[in-house]
Amino acid sequence: MNVAANIITLEVDWQNNVLRILDQTKLPGKESYLSLGTAEEIREAIYQLKVRGAPAIGVAAAYGIAVCARNIKGNDVAGFENEFCRLKTYLGSSRPTAVNLFTALDRMEACVKRYRTKEVEEIKAALIREAEQIHAEDQEACRRIGEWGLKLLKPGMGILTHCNAGKLAVSGCGTALAPIYAGQEKGYHFHVFADETRPLLQGARLTAFELQRSGIEVTLICDNMASVVMKQGKIQAVLVGCDRIAANGDVANKIGTSGVAVMAKYYGIPFYVLGPTSTIDFQSPTGDAITVEERAPEEVTEKWYVQRMAPEGVQVYNPAFDVTDHSLITAIITEKGIARPPFRETLNTLIACGS
Ligand code: MRU
């Protein structure tokens, strides 16, 4: 039984035409939902990480643009398409690294184009179906990632994870955490170590919350403790999610991930990346082509603190993601199967013939 099933990350209410999201900035203290009905509200929620995690951003954008498109007035298809494209550009400007945002918005635009010979009302109905399809595919992908990933684990293992790539980051049972939930259903016991994940504390606020809620043993550590727990033999595998996978297997994920990968290599611990194939970006030949989001200095100096923890005016560098070199990655687990090095070949093979 997946006890975390009672966490609903996002859902849509077509009757009132709003996207409802669990406000993740309030976790773990408060479980409150926001109803978002305008493009401004939806963009702001994504930018502020009220809904976050690559797949969840994609689903939120798909539902979000469908909600906004339903508010477009008039029956003129050309006018509808113009406004739709404006909304797409606007929502796409919320966060630059997670490729799922752009994949989902591109799919929604392709849907508009497929129906452009029809009435505006029919296009709007098709957009609802497309967003629901994206959501359903995401849930199914997570389930399969869990099954594939579980093949790499043994009961009793200690598992380190970074950031949150669980149920809160997607619409299903997560990506990096999916094998842990799949194992739980079979009665396996895992001990998860969650990096707190500075500066926005997704590990402390979200991963620790959702695993504890799900009855999975979890120990929270500061980011700078990962090396110690590895050295002490407490970790047998590292599982992380991904925001974008380049064609050569370089992986963009939450800042700090690449450091964990370096340590895992040093200690001889397998480092697994888990994500849906929609996260693979063949347009990015290597990680160098991936745009890494930089965020406000206040996230480092004062956010989550009762009082400011750095001198006024100090220079701050706050990249939200880093790129883990493919040479540090043991395998990439997708819903279509497991890719091992050389990733440039195996990722292509997965896409071409994986089931
Ligand atoms: O800034 P965030 O919280 O959106 O970053 C999230 C991550 O880096 C996750 O690991 C990634 O999106 C994978 S989620 C399944």
Side-chain angles (χ1 to χ4, degrees), residues 258-289:
S258 68
V260 176
V262 170
M263 288 186 271
K265 181 108 179 165
Y266 180 79
Y267 289 111
I269 298 166
F271 183 91
Y272 298 120
V273 172
L274 300 95
T277 47
S278 58
T279 314
I280 305 170
D281 176 16
F282 288 104
Q283 309 297 322
S284 295
T286 72
D288 291 342

Side-chain angles (χ1 to χ4, degrees), residues 228-250:
V228 166
V229 292
M230 286 183 183
K231 189 173 182 180
Q232 291 171 344
K234 293 183 170 135
I235 307 297
Q236 283 71 51
V238 177
L239 304 183
V240 296
C242 50
D243 283 78
R244 196 181 290 234
I245 303 172
N248 71 339
D250 289 350

